[in-house]
Amino acid sequence: MSLRSWLSIPRGSHFSLANIPFGIISTDASPKPRPAVAIGDYALDLEAFTAKNGFSACSIIQPHQTVFSQTTLNAFAALGRPIHSVVRKYIQSVFSENTPHSEILKSNTSLQREVLIPLKEVKTHLPMHIGDYTDFYAGRNHAFNVGSMFRGKDNALQPNYNHLPVGYHGRASSVVVSGTRIRRPQGQILENPVATPKQPIFSPCKKLDIELELGALVCKPNKLGEPITISAAEENIFGVVLMNDWSARDIQAWEYVPLGPFNAKNFGTTISPWIVLVDALEPFMTKGLSQETELLPYLREKRKENMYDIRLQVNLTPESGKTTTIATTSSKNLLFSFPQMLAHHSITGCPMNVGDLLGSGTISGLEPTERGALIEQTWNGKDPIRLEGGEERTFLEDGDTVTIKGVCGNNEDSLVGFGECVGTIEAAINLQPHIG
Amino acid sequence: MSLRSWLSIPRGSHFSLANIPFGIISTDASPKPRPAVAIGDYALDLEAFTAKNGFSACSIIQPHQTVFSQTTLNAFAALGRPIHSVVRKYIQSVFSENTPHSEILKSNTSLQREVLIPLKEVKTHLPMHIGDYTDFYAGRNHAFNVGSMFRGKDNALQPNYNHLPVGYHGRASSVVVSGTRIRRPQGQILENPVATPKQPIFSPCKKLDIELELGALVCKPNKLGEPITISAAEENIFGVVLMNDWSARDIQAWEYVPLGPFNAKNFGTTISPWIVLVDALEPFMTKGLSQETELLPYLREKRKENMYDIRLQVNLTPESGKTTTIATTSSKNLLFSFPQMLAHHSITGCPMNVGDLLGSGTISGLEPTERGALIEQTWNGKDPIRLEGGEERTFLEDGDTVTIKGVCGNNEDSLVGFGECVGTIEAAINLQPHIG
């Protein structure tokens, strides 16, 4: 298939013809959320495109076209990967030069006006209804750094770490789409950890952090009591998004024993709006971190190249300042893949549903400039980082904007990118009227 | 209001006129799940009752009657506690002797045949769509026992324990209604904790346990970033169910550091089918465990009697054996109330949704016979318990049925009970075809 489009797609666009990511959009003129794909500087409104018989030459989707008038992508995702694959290729064909489907839109400028909306006029929404959200901890460099900080290098990783993808159940209701403002959380903090008795104070979080992650969205359910096998698991993944799992480190330090992080993680988790399909990422598979341990059979993958090589970047922009890139790394810095996470998660018989979200865990490379969380970058606040323009940061200040970007490929005409995952910190709410 | 009913309600029924719990039912003849209340030995089919103008004398529900043709109680719950209260009182009035509404059903036997279904002919379903499930750890006697087991009595409770309701996010997709069979989970177990290096095996769980809990269901949402205050929190709770949070202790012991229990808890959590409204439980409020610590203001409740005094019982029935009551206690053995849990959970701005489930944590009294988990009863398997008929148990065997019961009140004609929360253990699935 030709990857040249008749549509003008700017060089360096994340949304080249090689990508075709799916999302949910609305516009001022048409405020109902509906499915779309991103291509170049446009969104193709799939509800409108369907209504105008845009899929008339794509027979496989014909019986299912109502999926494109839903307010989430769950129904489309539930059709399964073989159908996603055909639909993506069909849309590529519609936008390509010299294919049987080139003429559907190319020479029909009135149809173009109806179905192609400039991305800058589009509002994006949470792309799926997320039933359950699970966050893993598969970024071994991150786990090692944080473990070293609190337990020393020799005990940095717990004995289970290399044997299974450590994870915990997260809070689905607080997953939000890129652009949603994040209010600084409040809660109990132990300011003086050595005083006895230990007496927490009530305070806005003073150690507000980011976590650079990938998120995977599930497209195939399994029943209670029936595990997903490692060989089948890849078929259960719809696509991937960028994720920022905002974390309140001081709240976490006090609350987390013995049952794990709770309020430190439930005030907001931001995901990027465009779901990049597994098919689009397939050319960018590579090896992840080397497994030092022989895994139990239920976690053994046949493929050796099981990680996505996505170039990731974290930018921090103070309210009145310049943007600083505070981290760059690759998503290959993970010890376990999403299929391994699914196989482990469901080995007990835990049922997964369409729309469930799996977080990878914080992704950090080996170098200090590759660290995906401020707690690592500043070694728990001891070593501030310097921003362009002279400001320093240990953790996030009110008004700070964090932007995660991710992109695959080297040819500027055929990038497979995620766009941005953005959040700005708002000051904590005044609780005095409530608790004073 | 008279609490004598014209309907014959057996003495000792959990579903007296003082109760009126809500659930979701279906029958062989009418398989669509729909709302109902339990009364005596019957379910009042609220969809049918509505269709026959049963609510014609209850004006407040008139504009909202479609809530009774939903497949979950979420829409009814979302109407708010003032409406639940009126509807419950109206139904009490319909079933009472000598009220303005007595005649609606009492003398209309053909209507009775259409709307009253014997409970033994009814299939119950999960009563709400549960968006997120959170499990707390507020049973201090349980926390103390388990902490003593693993860290000794002096360090049994972590420093945060008395200051906040410790909790963790659970797995909503694995919450099931009473009667659903629970398959023994499999996973990684460290059989020899002292050998180095630590090498887990793959095995069916050998320490399958129960947790005697209450569950509370949320009826009022809060927005991201906007905490629920302690004084408002009670209005956000729809009602209460019995809960068994099945736990795989050996899987938990290996996996739980540093992010808490995960696969040990995601293969099934059973709740009783009938939601007892907060109004029905109000007469049974009492003091909980005494707080040894001054709480921060956001957790201070005005009312002193903030716990339900529900008599709880756990029965164990082997596949071919007699039933043994293995624990009896009261639900007042909690350190934090559901309103405190809600205030804490949302203090960060975490959004709660209608249908969210909060687990109390395992409820144990001080005596050995009052312990709500086998790990406490058998001190992690060291001291087996003896069952009627001579069998012994450390943890659950395949074929074991666990039945939790709960009831309030002393007058056998006006009990407010929960019915039963039941689950039977199935053998682990054969995974050889998958992983061999």
Side-chain angles (χ1 to χ4, degrees):
Chain A
M1 181 186 297
S2 159
L3 285 178
R4 283 186 62 85
S5 179
W6 52 261
L7 183 71
S8 171
I9 298 177
R11 292 205 74 195
S13 172
H14 279 200
F15 308 132
S16 77
L17 208 48
N19 193 350
I20 314 293
F22 285 72
I24 294 289
I25 63 157
S26 67
T27 53
D28 288 346
S30 179
K32 187 204 146 195
R34 55 203 188 268
V37 296
I39 179 145
D41 289 338
Y42 293 89
L44 171 68
D45 178 336
L46 293 175
E47 185 173 40
F49 189 62
T50 303
K52 296 291 175 181
N53 294 313
F55 285 105
S56 58
C58 182
S59 60
I60 202 168
I61 197 71
Q62 300 278 335
H64 311 292
Q65 291 196 68
T66 56
V67 301
F68 294 134
S69 50
Q70 309 296 310
T71 58
T72 68
L73 290 168
N74 291 54
F76 174 62
L79 296 177
R81 285 198 48 202
I83 292 189
H84 312 155
S85 183
V86 171
V87 170
R88 173 171 166 270
K89 284 180 185 150
Y90 177 78
I91 295 171
Q92 286 177 323
S93 163
V94 167
F95 282 96
S96 296
E97 293 275 19
N98 306 319
T99 73
H101 308 123
S102 299
E103 294 305 315
I104 291 175
L105 258 181
K106 182 182 175 184
S107 42
N108 189 339
T109 51
S110 82
L111 184 58
Q112 285 180 28
R113 276 192 300 273
E114 289 183 85
V115 301
L116 286 178
I117 309 168
L119 281 177
K120 60 177 187 255
E121 296 174 14
V122 151
K123 178 173 159 64
T124 51
H125 300 263
L126 205 59
M128 299 189 82
H129 169 76
I130 297 166
D132 274 291
Y133 155 47
T134 300
D135 198 23
F136 286 90
Y137 194 54
R140 191 175 59 196
N141 299 324
H142 167 77
F144 181 83
N145 283 336
V146 175
S148 298
M149 222 174 279
F150 296 111
R151 289 184 299 273
K153 282 193 174 182
D154 292 342
N155 298 304
L157 297 178
Q158 300 284 357
N160 58 21
Y161 189 84
N162 289 313
H163 293 276
L164 55 80
V166 170
Y168 64 101
H169 302 120
R171 179 80 195 175
S173 72
S174 61
V175 179
V176 296
V177 74
S178 178
T180 308
R181 293 172 73 86
I182 301 293
R183 207 189 276 278
R184 182 179 298 275
Q186 301 179 74
Q188 295 195 18
I189 292 171
L190 190 67
E191 282 217 302
N192 185 347
V194 292
T196 48
K198 293 184 194 300
Q199 181 62 47
I201 61 163
F202 184 83
S203 170
C205 169
K206 299 176 183 181
K207 291 188 171 180
L208 185 54
D209 201 357
I210 58 170
E211 291 195 334
L212 168 63
E213 302 199 26
L214 294 188
L217 291 145
V218 171
C219 63
K220 192 172 174 180
N222 64 300
K223 287 185 190 156
L224 183 73
E226 298 182 7
I228 301 165
T229 63
I230 186 70
S231 57
E234 211 174 333
E235 283 297 300
N236 293 46
I237 298 171
F238 179 48
V240 176
V241 290
L242 306 174
M243 194 169 110
N244 186 348
D245 193 29
W246 308 91
S247 298
R249 300 298 180 195
D250 40 9
I251 292 172
Q252 186 172 354
W254 172 237
E255 76 174 0
Y256 91 106
V257 282
L259 301 179
F262 178 53
N263 271 0
K265 299 279 195 171
N266 67 18
F267 58 93
T269 299
T270 305
I271 64 172
S272 56
W274 297 104
I275 300 174
V276 178
L277 300 193
V278 172
D279 272 10
L281 292 169
E282 182 58 37
F284 308 102
M285 297 297 276
T286 188
K287 284 185 185 170
L289 299 178
S290 63
Q291 243 319 339
E292 295 158 4
T293 307
E294 186 173 49
L295 293 175
L296 286 165
Y298 79 101
L299 288 175
R300 285 184 207 151
E301 269 181 301
K302 288 218 178 71
R303 67 187 301 165
K304 298 293 172 208
E305 303 200 324
N306 63 346
M307 293 293 163
Y308 305 121
D309 187 10
I310 306 166
R311 292 193 303 280
L312 299 167
Q313 189 181 81
V314 183
N315 292 342
L316 196 160
T317 313
E319 195 158 20
S320 58
K322 291 181 184 169
T323 293
T324 305
T325 296
I326 60 172
T328 53
T329 189
S330 162
S331 64
K332 70 184 177 186
N333 286 295
L334 293 168
L335 185 60
F336 292 97
S337 69
F338 287 122
Q340 287 174 313
M341 293 175 200
L342 266 185
H344 180 66
H345 201 323
S346 68
I347 190 66
T348 56
C350 179
M352 312 299 298
N353 290 311
V354 174
D356 285 349
L357 174 65
L358 309 179
S360 63
T362 306
I363 300 169
S364 294
L366 287 172
E367 301 302 318
T369 57
E370 289 186 278
R371 293 173 178 166
L374 288 170
I375 193 172
E376 290 174 82
Q377 293 232 345
T378 70
W379 216 252
N380 200 17
K382 288 197 195 78
D383 305 317
I385 54 170
R386 182 169 289 273
L387 305 181
E388 307 280 339
E391 287 191 56
E392 289 191 339
R393 283 293 178 280
T394 49
F395 292 94
L396 296 174
E397 306 279 339
D398 294 344
D400 283 355
T401 296
V402 177
T403 304
I404 296 175
K405 299 182 190 188
V407 65
C408 300
N410 294 306
N411 181 338
E412 293 284 300
D413 290 320
S414 57
L415 298 179
V416 172
F418 291 77
E420 294 182 344
C421 176
V422 185
T424 298
I425 304 302
E426 286 187 340
I429 197 171
N430 178 8
L431 285 173
Q432 279 310 312
H434 298 289
I435 62 171
Chain B
M1 181 185 297
S2 158
L3 283 177
R4 283 186 61 85
S5 179
W6 51 261
L7 183 71
S8 169
I9 298 177
R11 292 204 73 193
S13 171
H14 279 200
F15 308 131
S16 77
L17 208 48
N19 193 349
I20 314 292
F22 285 71
I24 294 289
I25 62 157
S26 68
T27 53
D28 288 346
S30 180
K32 187 203 146 196
R34 55 202 187 270
V37 295
I39 178 143
D41 289 338
Y42 293 90
L44 172 68
D45 178 337
L46 293 176
E47 185 174 40
F49 189 62
T50 303
K52 295 292 175 181
N53 295 313
F55 285 104
S56 57
C58 182
S59 61
I60 202 167
I61 197 71
Q62 300 279 333
H64 312 292
Q65 291 197 68
T66 56
V67 300
F68 294 134
S69 50
Q70 309 295 310
T71 58
T72 68
L73 290 168
N74 292 54
F76 174 61
L79 297 177
R81 285 198 46 203
I83 292 190
H84 312 155
S85 183
V86 171
V87 170
R88 174 171 165 269
K89 284 180 186 152
Y90 177 77
I91 295 171
Q92 286 177 324
S93 161
V94 167
F95 282 96
S96 295
E97 292 276 19
N98 306 319
T99 73
H101 309 124
S102 299
E103 293 306 316
I104 291 174
L105 258 181
K106 181 181 175 184
S107 42
N108 188 340
T109 51
S110 84
L111 184 59
Q112 286 180 27
R113 276 193 299 274
E114 290 182 84
V115 301
L116 286 178
I117 310 168
L119 281 176
K120 60 177 188 256
E121 296 174 14
V122 151
K123 178 173 159 65
T124 51
H125 301 264
L126 205 59
M128 299 190 82
H129 169 75
I130 296 166
D132 275 291
Y133 155 48
T134 300
D135 198 24
F136 286 90
Y137 195 52
R140 192 176 57 196
N141 299 324
H142 167 77
F144 182 83
N145 283 336
V146 175
S148 300
M149 223 174 278
F150 296 112
R151 289 184 299 272
K153 282 194 175 182
D154 293 342
N155 298 303
L157 297 179
Q158 300 284 357
N160 58 21
Y161 189 83
N162 289 312
H163 293 277
L164 55 79
V166 169
Y168 63 102
H169 302 119
R171 179 79 195 176
S173 72
S174 61
V175 179
V176 297
V177 74
S178 178
T180 308
R181 294 173 73 85
I182 300 294
R183 206 189 276 279
R184 182 179 298 275
Q186 300 179 75
Q188 295 194 19
I189 292 171
L190 190 66
E191 282 218 301
N192 185 347
V194 293
T196 47
K198 293 186 193 300
Q199 181 61 49
I201 61 162
F202 185 83
S203 170
C205 170
K206 298 176 183 181
K207 290 187 172 181
L208 185 54
D209 201 355
I210 57 170
E211 291 194 337
L212 168 63
E213 302 198 26
L214 294 187
L217 291 145
V218 171
C219 63
K220 192 173 174 181
N222 64 302
K223 287 186 189 155
L224 183 73
E226 298 181 7
I228 301 165
T229 62
I230 186 70
S231 57
E234 210 174 334
E235 283 297 299
N236 293 47
I237 297 171
F238 179 47
V240 176
V241 291
L242 305 174
M243 194 169 111
N244 185 348
D245 194 29
W246 309 91
S247 298
R249 300 298 181 194
D250 40 8
I251 292 172
Q252 186 173 354
W254 172 236
E255 76 174 1
Y256 91 106
V257 283
L259 301 180
F262 178 54
N263 272 359
K265 300 278 195 171
N266 67 18
F267 58 93
T269 299
T270 305
I271 64 172
S272 55
W274 297 104
I275 300 174
V276 178
L277 300 193
V278 172
D279 273 10
L281 292 169
E282 182 59 36
F284 308 102
M285 298 296 277
T286 188
K287 285 185 184 169
L289 299 178
S290 63
Q291 245 315 341
E292 295 158 4
T293 307
E294 186 173 49
L295 293 176
L296 286 164
Y298 79 100
L299 289 175
R300 286 184 206 151
E301 269 181 301
K302 288 217 179 72
R303 68 187 299 165
K304 298 295 172 206
E305 303 200 324
N306 64 345
M307 293 293 164
Y308 304 121
D309 187 11
I310 305 166
R311 292 193 303 279
L312 299 167
Q313 188 181 82
V314 183
N315 292 342
L316 197 161
T317 312
E319 196 158 19
S320 57
K322 292 182 185 169
T323 294
T324 305
T325 296
I326 60 171
T328 52
T329 189
S330 162
S331 63
K332 70 184 177 187
N333 285 295
L334 293 168
L335 186 59
F336 293 97
S337 69
F338 288 122
Q340 287 174 313
M341 293 175 199
L342 266 185
H344 180 66
H345 200 324
S346 68
I347 191 65
T348 56
C350 178
M352 312 299 298
N353 291 310
V354 173
D356 285 349
L357 174 65
L358 309 179
S360 62
T362 306
I363 299 168
S364 294
L366 287 171
E367 300 303 317
T369 56
E370 289 186 279
R371 292 174 178 167
L374 287 169
I375 193 172
E376 291 172 81
Q377 293 232 345
T378 70
W379 216 252
N380 198 16
K382 288 197 196 78
D383 305 318
I385 54 170
R386 183 170 289 271
L387 305 181
E388 306 281 338
E391 286 190 55
E392 288 191 340
R393 282 294 178 279
T394 49
F395 291 95
L396 296 174
E397 306 278 340
D398 293 345
D400 283 355
T401 296
V402 177
T403 305
I404 297 174
K405 299 183 189 186
V407 66
C408 300
N410 295 305
N411 180 338
E412 293 285 301
D413 290 320
S414 58
L415 297 178
V416 172
F418 292 76
E420 295 183 342
C421 176
V422 185
T424 298
I425 304 303
E426 287 187 338
I429 197 172
N430 178 9
L431 285 173
Q432 278 312 312
H434 298 288
I435 62 170

